[in-house]
Amino acid sequence: MTDHRSMEGSRAALAAAVELLTGRPPVLIDARHFMAGGAGRTHVVDAEVRFEVPGEGLTVAPSAALVYEIQPPQRRGFAPFQRLLRRHQVASLGTDAGAWRAATEKNLTVERFLQHGVPHMETVCLSRPSPQRAAAAFDRLGRNVWARPVLGTCGSDVFHLTTLEQLRAATAHYERFPRDWLISRDADNFNAEGLRHQFRVSVLDGRPVQACEHVQADPEAPCNEAQGARCTPLPLADLAPELGKLAVSATESMGLAFAGVDLAAENGGVVFEVNVHPMLGSVHPAESVAVRYVQAHLSLL
């Protein structure tokens, strides 16, 4: 079950993994049918949960439900369906709406980090701040910060700020939507070549299952593949053990069984964010995560 507008490729990787492990292709359902206002219906017949999409003539009684590729702006509208799945004990890793929200809304992510002692760069959350409040937060964080929306994706609307002029421009940008936003102290995460770099570590059931390194040639751009960063798979044996442990701690702080954690080794090791649905496919070998993710669902049966 995914948002079929998404073109990132995770759906295809998961479908291939299901067929590899079960010998049968999965039923692909557009998650939008089960968001707020969607036409999808859920019935319980003889203690069996059934999904129905009337407009497509589709009725299916799932043995397990794999939920993926739900974009951050749509997750609140999907939460009632997640709670329904949990209430009816459908085999799925994607039923904890509270955990999803904690990882999706970055102000809540920071609260969880503070609550659980997860190292991260000092952050100030801003909600339609006055110029004075924004400037005071900027000063407090050393006038070298990254601004990002509370709710965002793919590194969009993220800015590196080092001057008051840039701060004013970012404030005006977020006011146009309007959006709540955050500023975080810069992690100074440069490699030996002077390029921004960080790691993405995917965690499943309390242990790292995949790692890669992102390197960004543009020091003013987010270290995100969607913003031009280069991604190189990293053997888990080459990942510093303390970074693996940090990724596990960050995932657990959200209450998630599976996540992709963005973090850096600088400043003693810090976490930037926790991704509910790290991308599967592209340079990421499907067998290292997609198959294990499907196996985790089958183990629930």
Side-chain angles (χ1 to χ4, degrees):
M1 183 174 287
T2 62
D3 183 337
H4 285 193
R5 290 172 299 186
S6 174
M7 303 297 290
E8 73 174 39
S10 294
R11 178 169 68 252
L14 288 168
V18 169
E19 189 159 7
L20 174 68
L21 291 170
T22 68
R24 295 182 297 171
V27 176
L28 303 180
I29 300 176
D30 192 332
R32 290 176 292 172
H33 292 305
F34 294 89
M35 294 179 185
R41 298 290 180 265
T42 304
H43 307 284
V44 179
V45 179
D46 297 329
E48 182 180 67
V49 177
R50 298 181 183 178
F51 302 156
E52 179 184 359
V53 182
E56 298 181 1
L58 174 66
T59 299
V60 59
S63 53
L66 277 70
V67 181
Y68 219 84
E69 285 189 84
I70 312 297
Q71 299 304 309
Q74 280 72 54
R75 289 177 188 168
R76 278 203 179 189
F78 193 66
F81 180 67
Q82 287 177 282
R83 290 192 284 269
L84 186 149
L85 292 178
R86 172 161 283 204
R87 185 166 66 249
H88 292 299
Q89 300 182 321
V90 174
S92 178
L93 299 184
T95 65
D96 193 333
W100 276 34
R101 185 179 178 191
T104 300
E105 298 178 25
K106 302 312 176 187
N107 57 329
L108 301 182
T109 299
V110 171
E111 290 179 7
R112 290 287 182 98
F113 286 168
L114 290 168
Q115 179 184 352
H116 294 274
V118 176
H120 61 289
M121 298 309 294
E122 184 180 2
T123 298
V124 177
C125 302
L126 300 168
S127 178
R128 298 163 185 77
S130 66
Q132 295 79 12
R133 180 164 182 260
F138 186 52
D139 285 339
R140 171 182 156 188
L141 298 181
R143 294 196 172 204
N144 183 9
V145 304
W146 287 87
R148 53 184 171 153
V150 163
L151 189 67
T153 184
C154 295
S156 298
D157 303 309
V158 175
F159 310 103
H160 184 214
L161 313 179
T162 57
T163 68
L164 285 172
E165 182 180 1
Q166 291 172 331
L167 176 66
R168 286 190 288 269
T171 302
H173 176 85
Y174 295 125
E175 283 178 348
R176 285 197 294 271
F177 290 97
R179 285 185 181 181
D180 290 350
W181 49 294
L182 312 89
I183 54 174
S184 300
R185 192 185 298 272
D186 188 277
D188 197 28
N189 51 320
F190 294 98
N191 64 14
E193 287 73 41
L195 302 178
R196 293 270 183 191
H197 79 127
Q198 63 188 51
F199 300 91
R200 162 72 61 84
V201 181
S202 294
V203 173
L204 176 62
D205 289 336
R207 65 189 188 92
V209 292
Q210 179 177 274
C212 60
E213 183 177 19
H214 291 169
V215 176
Q216 174 59 273
D218 182 354
E220 304 303 310
C223 203
N224 186 295
E225 282 185 85
Q227 301 299 321
R230 184 177 74 250
C231 176
T232 303
L234 184 70
L236 283 174
D238 293 344
L239 179 71
E242 58 270 21
L243 292 182
K245 292 177 182 177
L246 183 54
V248 171
S249 296
T251 301
E252 292 177 345
S253 76
M254 298 299 116
L256 294 166
F258 174 73
V261 181
D262 292 336
L263 70 172
E266 289 72 20
N267 286 280
V270 292
V271 177
F272 297 125
E273 66 179 6
V274 179
N275 299 275
V276 175
H277 295 150
M279 185 175 66
L280 308 174
S282 182
V283 299
H284 310 283
E287 65 274 11
S288 65
V289 175
V291 169
R292 295 186 190 188
Y293 187 70
V294 173
Q295 285 173 327
H297 283 78
L298 296 177
S299 70
L300 298 174
L301 300 178

